[in-house]
Amino acid sequence: MDRQVAQVAQVAERIKELREIMEVSPAELAGEIGLSEEEYTKYENAQLDIPISVIYGVAAVLGVDPTVLLSGESPRMSTYTITRKGKGMSIERYKEYSFSALAYNFINRDMDPMIVDLLPKDAPPELVTHKGQEFNYVLEGKVTVLFGDHKFVLNEGDSIYFDPKVPHGQMAEYGFARFLTIINE
């Protein structure tokens, strides 16, 4: 089993276990986060990769920090946290998209800063939605941002701030790309 598949299975198991402890039915949780029970069950059984928006939604409904679902650990720091270069909590969403959470250890954070690494892929990314606001700043390469009916190509030093309730996704343009994203939910 490759690393990414194992991570999805671990996150799915944590979600299922917490949902059962909280005595929330799959149908109830699915409805709260705006999914059909069938789609939700596929995520919980690790039949589909779990979008970060679903992880955030589940965490909000179950009253836990997303870090608990992603890592199995609770954040510990309440006044500050330092993340050294290359030491963020790394998550590989799929082969062409991985991120490193930079504030995962801070309790009750309002923002989630992450470094996202993108490899080129043939197909456009699956578009996602979530609550809050999002900021992306390109650190390296070119990033294509699909936002609703729009397509923006951002170069190093470019940024975009947007309402993530609009379906969106990012992909590398012409090679490896890296960007900083800050999500406020």
Side-chain angles (χ1 to χ4, degrees), residues 25-184:
S25 72
E28 198 177 348
L29 187 51
E32 287 285 329
I33 60 174
L35 297 175
S36 70
E37 183 178 0
E38 179 183 355
E39 184 178 12
Y40 170 79
T41 302
K42 287 181 181 178
Y43 292 135
E44 188 176 271
N45 292 324
Q47 295 170 318
L48 293 174
D49 186 17
I50 308 167
I52 197 72
S53 58
V54 171
I55 293 169
Y56 276 80
V58 169
V61 170
L62 297 179
V64 299
D65 189 285
T67 300
V68 172
L69 300 177
L70 290 167
S71 72
E73 302 270 330
S74 293
R76 295 181 185 92
M77 305 304 290
S78 61
T79 57
Y80 72 91
T81 187
I82 295 173
T83 304
R84 301 288 182 198
K85 182 178 180 178
K87 300 295 183 184
M89 181 177 59
S90 295
I91 305 291
E92 186 176 314
R93 298 300 306 137
Y94 44 86
K95 183 181 169 193
E96 300 88 4
Y97 184 105
S98 63
F99 67 87
S100 181
L102 302 175
Y104 67 93
N105 204 25
F106 193 86
I107 300 168
N108 298 323
R109 65 190 171 279
D110 293 325
M111 298 177 287
D112 265 321
M114 296 173 255
I115 299 291
V116 179
D117 289 337
L118 298 172
L119 294 172
K121 63 187 263 182
D122 297 330
E126 179 182 332
L127 301 183
V128 298
T129 61
H130 53 87
K131 296 177 185 173
Q133 299 175 341
E134 184 167 338
F135 172 77
N136 297 170
Y137 177 85
V138 180
L139 299 168
E140 187 176 338
K142 292 178 185 269
V143 175
T144 296
V145 178
L146 303 176
F147 181 78
D149 295 332
H150 303 281
K151 177 180 176 180
F152 305 105
V153 176
L154 303 179
N155 298 298
E156 274 183 45
D158 292 345
S159 65
I160 182 171
Y161 191 100
F162 59 92
D163 179 349
K165 290 184 279 306
V166 175
H168 64 281
Q170 299 90 349
M171 58 190 257
E173 192 75 31
Y174 315 114
F176 175 81
R178 173 176 283 153
F179 66 97
L180 168 69
T181 186
I182 301 172
I183 299 173
N184 178 315

